[in-house]
Amino acid sequence: QLQLQESGPGLVKPSETLSLTCSVFGGSIKTTNSYWAWLRQPPGKGLECIGSVHDSGDTYYNPSLKSRLSMSVDASKNQISLRLTSVTTADTAVYFCAKVDEDTLGSNWFDPWGQGILVTVSS
Amino acid sequence: QSVLTQVPSASGTPGQRVSISCSGGGSNLGRNYVYWYQHLPGTAPKLLFYKDNQRPSGVPNRFSASKSGTSASLAISGLRSEDEAVYFCAAWDNSLDVWVFGGGTKLAVL
């Protein structure tokens, strides 16, 4: 049973870089051959998919965040990372990581998810 | 404002049947599958249904889901106290080229 856990600073200053790590337990990133996604939910607002990354290096980034975003996979550590530069208070949110599950017909969805980590952008 | 529309709250008493709706448009629910999740704040969201109405193993058959046109619905029968959670829907949007989500419906079991 795969389990995901997000970690990183809970407080980031405006204009600085938000860096988070998602650790995968109960399975190997390499053998799952999956994409891994980051999503976020600002306080009182709906969810947003930030983007996804494969250990091959292939990425999909939300167009609204693309210029500030980078994601990568470290298969040796079984971790996925997220970097979001030049943050503002609008980037305050609970950040989730999730595995992108896929069937043979190409449909995909998020499962499982981590429990999320609150990141506050404030001076 | 979420692209998929859900009422913010719903309630029921133990044993009752409740229904939670998710309304979208032609570029999301009208063309793509809907997915349903159950979320207790502070825990990992749990997949309840994929591809409109497919129930993953481990999800009780008290839960059912359907979709018609640009609207989808999640139903819970034989309501239990442990069903108290936030339920949200998700779908890919072909026009926005992103995943879109409902704002979530907070279900209270009275």
Side-chain angles (χ1 to χ4, degrees), chain A residues 39 41 45-49 60 62-63 96 101 103 105 107-116, chain B residues 2 33 35 37 39 42-47 50-51 88 90 92 96-103:
Chain A
L39 306 96
Q41 184 167 29
K45 296 186 178 181
L47 276 157
E48 175 183 40
C49 179
Y60 159 79
N62 187 313
F96 299 92
D101 215 356
D103 68 6
L105 299 177
S107 295
N108 54 69
W109 54 92
F110 306 113
D111 183 50
W113 297 51
Q115 66 181 29
Chain B
S2 300
Y33 293 117
Y35 301 84
Y37 295 88
H39 186 209
T43 69
K46 175 186 174 184
L47 179 70
Y50 63 99
K51 295 176 71 172
F88 65 89
W92 180 260
L96 298 173
D97 203 29
V98 295
W99 280 93
V100 292
F101 297 86

Side-chain angles (χ1 to χ4, degrees), chain A residues 14-71:
Chain A
S15 79
E16 295 190 345
T17 296
L18 181 160
S19 296
L20 295 176
T21 298
C22 174
S23 299
V24 179
F25 302 98
S28 166
I29 284 179
K30 270 210 174 301
T31 56
T32 57
N33 191 31
S34 295
Y35 280 80
W36 303 85
W38 285 96
L39 306 96
R40 68 181 183 178
Q41 184 167 29
K45 296 186 178 181
L47 276 157
E48 175 183 40
C49 179
I50 298 169
S52 59
V53 59
H54 191 272
D55 73 341
S56 64
D58 190 36
T59 55
Y60 159 79
Y61 292 158
N62 187 313
S64 68
L65 296 167
K66 194 171 183 176
S67 62
R68 300 193 290 130
L69 194 57
S70 70
M71 296 181 184

Side-chain angles (χ1 to χ4, degrees), chain B residues 29-107:
Chain B
L29 298 191
R31 291 182 181 271
N32 299 307
Y33 293 117
V34 67
Y35 301 84
W36 287 96
Y37 295 88
Q38 177 191 58
H39 186 209
L40 283 79
T43 69
K46 175 186 174 184
L47 179 70
L48 282 182
F49 287 93
Y50 63 99
K51 295 176 71 172
D52 292 348
N53 56 14
Q54 301 300 298
R55 191 187 304 110
S57 61
V59 174
N61 60 14
R62 301 186 295 107
F63 292 84
S64 61
S66 63
K67 193 183 82 173
S68 178
T70 59
S71 292
S73 183
L74 171 72
I76 310 170
S77 59
L79 201 60
R80 297 184 178 183
S81 58
E82 61 257 37
D83 298 332
E84 197 162 270
V86 174
Y87 295 85
F88 65 89
C89 53
W92 180 260
D93 190 294
N94 291 351
S95 295
L96 298 173
D97 203 29
V98 295
W99 280 93
V100 292
F101 297 86
T105 296
K106 187 172 184 178
L107 175 64

Side-chain angles (χ1 to χ4, degrees), chain B residues 4-20:
Chain B
L4 303 181
T5 302
Q6 295 183 250
V7 291
S9 63
S11 64
T13 56
Q16 257 191 334
R17 182 180 188 274
V18 296
S19 186
I20 294 169

